Amino acid sequence: MIIRVADLEPEGRHVEAPLRIGPLRSDANEPICIEDAFLRGDVRRTSRGAEVLGHLICRAVVPCARCLELFPVDVDRAFHVRYAFAAPMGKDIEIPEEDLDVDFLEADGLLDLAAVASEQIYLELPMKPVCRPACRGLCPRCGENLNRGGCACSAGLPEA
């Protein structure tokens, strides 16, 4: 869903919509599938750009950092993000310290809510997602998933 900031009414726009997102990519370039994404919130024009005050719910299917098996992570995130109009090409501007957390709108003043939601998903997911606390991971020698039992290689690892 894309919103043109210049077309927003002074009172803004309320949004309640399913979003099609994905797949995203993990740090290891593995796909992260996003299911049932739903965004609820308000988009308002400000004197310097726009702001989105919203709530995102979805399920991300991510690979475990230890065993590489896919597992679901529920995302339920409230957020408030601010956007400023980009400076004209070739012109430097000084950003006040209180605005260091402000992102920039695209040059045409468009705000892509799917991109906003994708950023919020990345911020909500753990850096090293683990399918369960007791995950044993992969054998360092043969790569067998140790959650399924021991491996037969000579790594000297105990059986499960």
Side-chain angles (χ1 to χ4, degrees), residues 71-144:
F71 73 100
V73 174
D74 289 328
V75 173
D76 187 345
R77 183 173 176 88
F79 61 92
H80 181 194
V81 291
R82 297 180 302 155
Y83 294 89
F85 293 112
M89 281 299 260
K91 182 177 179 188
D92 291 334
I93 60 169
E94 185 175 334
I95 300 173
E97 189 172 333
E98 65 269 10
D99 285 345
L100 291 179
D101 62 344
V102 174
D103 204 349
F104 289 97
L105 290 167
E106 297 179 24
D108 52 10
L110 298 179
L111 182 59
D112 183 354
L113 292 180
V116 173
S118 296
E119 180 179 274
Q120 296 305 311
I121 293 168
Y122 278 124
L123 291 170
E124 187 71 11
L125 291 177
M127 290 180 72
K128 298 287 184 188
V130 179
C131 61
R132 62 183 185 268
C135 178
R136 296 179 62 208
L138 303 176
C139 171
R141 175 168 266 169
C142 70
E144 182 70 29

Side-chain angles (χ1 to χ4, degrees), residues 144-160:
E144 182 70 29
N145 185 338
L146 298 175
N147 294 315
R148 298 183 190 140
C151 63
C153 77
S154 60
L157 298 173
E159 293 291 321

